[in-house]
Amino acid sequence: MLTIKEAAPVQGYDKYAHEPFAVTVDLAVLTVREGTLHVLLVERGQEPYAGKWALPGGFVRPDESAETAARRELAEETGLDGVGAGSGLHLEQLRTYSEPDRDPRMRVVSVAFAALLPDAPEPHGGGDAAEARWLPYDETGPLAFDHDRILADAHERVGAKLEYTCLATSFCPPEFTLGELQQVYETVWGTGLDRPNFRRKVLATPGFVEPVPGAARLTGGRGKPAALYRAGTATALHPPLLRPPREGRSA
């Protein structure tokens, strides 16, 4: 059986007729920590951009798929080798970035992945990454390469994911108030929500949350304790819980 490197040449085709280029992967992994949206970044240990923060990632090997390379690079550069397939980290392919001058070394096309990770473990640098760290999304500063653009696109994608799935409940305690659930949405979306309207929409969505009979929690404010809920049986939201429209994005 022929391997990838031993594949028979196609008659009449010259593989050297085209300029070679590399394929890389980049990972925009987001989480909510202490009520703040964080992103997983690595400090580059090599040029170009040595010492700059960047998204984890690297070159795809000849015998790898893009997703296999993404999981390998995540493990090598951040130490998060416990978040492979079946462990809770769902890598969603974001898009391909192919501008000719995006990498100063050579022509590089990157396949980017996005993820919103609950219960995120602490990372540590490895491979060609000098350090790995969760940093607040709003404090990342200029990143290496075109990673600011990739991160912004990933933020938009995971924000949309909360509109159509029940993922937000995984960032809450097993029993939570609707105020705590609302805080997750506000943290990821970066905008305040009207409390009565949010409550009405959540409770009107079949299978989104289930009340915990007889349970309540004081929330620090005045008034009676808030009712407690747990995640429901649904995985998708029908109807979706849409973000408020803002300038630059349609409703």
Side-chain angles (χ1 to χ4, degrees), residues 37-216:
L37 186 65
H38 282 64
V39 59
L40 181 61
L41 296 177
V42 297
E43 181 185 347
R44 288 187 55 81
Q46 301 176 0
E47 294 292 351
Y49 301 106
K52 294 277 288 184
W53 290 104
L55 299 175
F59 290 91
V60 179
R61 294 172 179 171
D63 59 348
E64 290 181 318
S65 68
E67 182 167 345
T68 298
R71 294 188 179 276
R72 174 182 56 77
E73 287 288 346
L74 185 65
E76 291 178 356
E77 293 194 339
T78 71
L80 301 189
D81 54 0
V83 293
S87 65
L89 177 67
H90 172 69
L91 291 179
E92 183 173 339
Q93 193 169 131
L94 181 62
R95 57 164 292 185
T96 299
Y97 296 82
S98 58
E99 286 72 11
D101 58 351
R102 61 179 305 274
D103 192 308
R105 293 168 292 188
M106 62 180 297
R107 178 73 189 274
V108 174
V109 173
S110 180
V111 180
F113 292 84
L116 184 59
L117 177 65
D119 301 320
E122 290 295 333
H124 58 82
D128 56 3
E131 185 180 0
R133 188 186 302 175
W134 292 105
L135 291 176
Y137 179 85
D138 291 333
E139 301 176 15
T140 56
L143 301 178
F145 303 103
D146 55 354
H147 290 185
D148 289 297
R149 177 186 176 190
I150 296 175
L151 180 56
D153 290 346
H155 184 205
E156 179 67 20
R157 174 68 63 84
V158 300
K161 198 171 186 68
L162 292 193
E163 294 182 310
Y164 295 94
T165 74
C166 301
L167 180 61
T169 59
S170 64
F171 291 88
C172 295
E175 297 181 355
F176 51 86
T177 68
L178 294 185
E180 289 170 333
L181 181 62
Q182 180 175 333
Q183 185 181 32
V184 174
Y185 278 91
E186 291 178 337
T187 298
V188 175
W189 287 350
T191 187
L193 301 174
D194 178 74
R195 183 176 178 180
N197 192 39
F198 178 82
R199 176 185 178 88
R200 176 181 58 79
K201 289 182 177 180
V202 169
L203 296 181
T205 304
F208 190 5
V209 298
E210 298 175 353
V212 180

Side-chain angles (χ1 to χ4, degrees), residues 9-51:
V10 177
Q11 186 175 5
Y13 177 76
D14 179 10
K15 66 179 181 179
Y16 299 105
H18 303 281
E19 186 73 20
F21 63 89
V23 177
T24 61
V25 290
D26 290 302
L27 297 99
V29 183
L30 299 162
T31 193
V32 177
R33 295 165 64 93
E34 300 178 352
T36 304
L37 186 65
H38 282 64
V39 59
L40 181 61
L41 296 177
V42 297
E43 181 185 347
R44 288 187 55 81
Q46 301 176 0
E47 294 292 351
Y49 301 106

